[in-house]
Amino acid sequence: MFTDGTLLPMLTGIAHAAAAVGAITSEEAGEWIGDQTRRGQGDRGFVAIPLFLAHAARP
């Protein structure tokens, strides 16, 4: 879990990719990126990356 701006480059990339495929407008991406930047600078962001690990054995 991250609350600072550590993962801002990843978030920015996701927003730009969403705008590139037309899921959001470039203006919406810019507003969202600005909001995430402000949150990260104030240590008020929240990014969690769930990781899953599975293991199986064949009898």
Side-chain angles (χ1 to χ4, degrees), residues 37-52:
T37 300
R38 286 186 294 281
R39 290 173 187 267
Q41 290 170 343
D43 201 30
R44 300 291 299 163
F46 182 82
V47 178
I49 303 173
L51 299 174
F52 299 93

Side-chain angles (χ1 to χ4, degrees), residues 9 13 27 31-32 35-36 40-41 49 54-55 58:
E27 291 81 17
E31 289 175 15
W32 189 79
D35 185 40
Q36 299 310 310
Q41 290 170 343
I49 303 173
H55 173 74
R58 205 169 186 183

Side-chain angles (χ1 to χ4, degrees), residues 1-51:
M1 180 177 72
F2 300 89
T3 59
D4 60 9
T6 301
L7 294 181
L8 189 58
M10 180 189 73
L11 297 176
T12 301
I14 291 170
H16 287 302
V21 298
I24 59 175
T25 66
S26 59
E27 291 81 17
E28 290 171 321
E31 289 175 15
W32 189 79
I33 290 168
D35 185 40
Q36 299 310 310
T37 300
R38 286 186 294 281
R39 290 173 187 267
Q41 290 170 343
D43 201 30
R44 300 291 299 163
F46 182 82
V47 178
I49 303 173
L51 299 174

